[in-house]
Amino acid sequence: MEGEPKFKEEKQEFQRTSGIMRAAGVSREVEKEVLDASKESFDNQKKFSLESEKTPEEIEIINGILGKLQEFIKKYGGVMPPITPDHIHVCEYDTLPVEQRERIKSIRGRYDEDSQFVAVIRNSESENNLVFASRVAHELMHFCGFQSVTANPEKETWSFRVGGLVVAKKKDQKREMYFVDVDEAITEELMKRFDAECFDAIPALAKDLEDREKWIKKSVKGDKISYITTTTTKEESSMYYTTIRAQPYQYKEEREKLWQIINDICEKKPDDFKSEEEVFNVFANTYFTGNLLQTVRLIEDTYGKGFFRKLGEETKQPKE
């Protein structure tokens, strides 16, 4: 099929014991210490003080996603860590202290590379199973992405890669994240494909997927949406009002920028790529394998030498 990833026939001998796959710039002894510490964090998951019990449907969804994820990422050259439901921690938004709600703002999911877990914030009053599944799948893409630590002891600097993201730190300075927009755009595009290929195999999502499809069919634009949220409010008159909102996939602007880059590459190299999806597959392969050179060459052949570094600077953010 045109646009189908060409990486799925590659044999993967490497077995991940945690999210971290490599430590560079250090001795073998130090690398072993880094990998062992990561495995210890991975193997020893502890419940948060405010963590909620997963519902039977949430457990079904998590197991359904984990059961499909390895084969999905394998198409792009990825190797999945031995993730279990214990690595996914769920918190109910309404139970969080006010100051914590203020701090997380609109963030509803996170992959923590230091502690090797995924945290998902849910709102049982307004969010359905498809919302939960989308967040879990997105964060698990981060978890399964290529992860490495590179240290330079002489300059006292280090960098950490997760998928398409680079976190760098210099001595006595705060950590900074590069390629944030690109990383999130690729992650959500992967989640979209996983949604289309795998969500319908999870029984707990059947009704929400059916409701979404009905919404899409009756929509004037026929827009693709990620999920539907329903909010019920009570007015002073004791009347209840229900608001239904169709939510698009996340990171719309970031994904549009990514597809502009992909489109430009496709136009620049018509003999190398038959479709934009084939270019995306190269980006996805880099996301999972760490083979950065192939993506850098495509971008700099299209926009000129130094553009890749410029792209990283343009998407730089401080890491809290």
Side-chain angles (χ1 to χ4, degrees), residues 278-296:
E278 288 188 357
V279 181
F280 172 79
N281 293 339
V282 174
F283 280 70
N285 179 253
T286 293
Y287 180 98
F288 285 117
T289 68
N291 185 3
L292 193 60
L293 184 59
Q294 58 181 350
T295 299
V296 174

Side-chain angles (χ1 to χ4, degrees), residues 147-186:
Q147 297 178 49
S148 69
V149 179
T150 301
N152 187 328
E154 293 182 359
K155 295 184 178 180
E156 297 186 65
T157 65
W158 62 267
S159 64
F160 190 96
R161 283 188 59 193
V162 182
L165 178 70
V166 177
V167 180
K169 184 181 186 302
K170 296 180 181 179
K171 181 182 178 182
D172 301 327
Q173 293 183 11
K174 292 184 177 180
R175 294 192 287 180
E176 292 180 322
M177 301 186 295
Y178 297 81
F179 303 101
V180 178
D181 293 357
V182 176
D183 177 65
E184 292 294 358
I186 295 173

Side-chain angles (χ1 to χ4, degrees), residues 86-209:
D86 289 340
H87 291 94
I88 299 163
H89 303 269
V90 181
C91 297
E92 183 69 45
Y93 180 78
D94 288 342
T95 67
L96 298 177
V98 175
E99 63 273 14
Q100 197 164 351
R101 294 186 211 176
E102 286 294 322
R103 184 161 58 85
I104 65 173
K105 296 181 180 178
S106 62
I107 297 173
R108 292 294 182 269
R110 176 192 175 197
Y111 165 59
D112 189 299
E113 65 271 13
D114 294 324
S115 299
Q116 296 285 289
F117 65 73
V118 161
V120 175
I121 310 297
R122 70 183 182 197
N123 188 331
S124 301
E125 293 297 319
S126 63
E127 296 172 349
N128 59 27
N129 288 335
L130 191 52
V131 179
F132 179 78
S134 299
R135 288 178 185 156
V136 170
H138 180 100
E139 298 308 324
L140 285 176
M141 292 300 169
H142 286 303
F143 208 153
C144 292
F146 175 80
Q147 297 178 49
S148 69
V149 179
T150 301
N152 187 328
E154 293 182 359
K155 295 184 178 180
E156 297 186 65
T157 65
W158 62 267
S159 64
F160 190 96
R161 283 188 59 193
V162 182
L165 178 70
V166 177
V167 180
K169 184 181 186 302
K170 296 180 181 179
K171 181 182 178 182
D172 301 327
Q173 293 183 11
K174 292 184 177 180
R175 294 192 287 180
E176 292 180 322
M177 301 186 295
Y178 297 81
F179 303 101
V180 178
D181 293 357
V182 176
D183 177 65
E184 292 294 358
I186 295 173
T187 303
E188 188 69 357
E189 286 293 334
L190 287 165
M191 200 288 291
K192 280 183 63 180
R193 285 156 180 74
F194 186 81
D195 174 341
E197 294 178 27
C198 304
F199 275 3
D200 61 0
I202 303 174
L205 299 179
K207 183 181 183 304
D208 296 335
L209 289 171

Side-chain angles (χ1 to χ4, degrees), residues 233-241:
T233 55
K234 182 179 180 182
E235 301 295 330
E236 292 182 2
S237 61
S238 295
M239 295 289 290
Y240 287 87
Y241 294 89

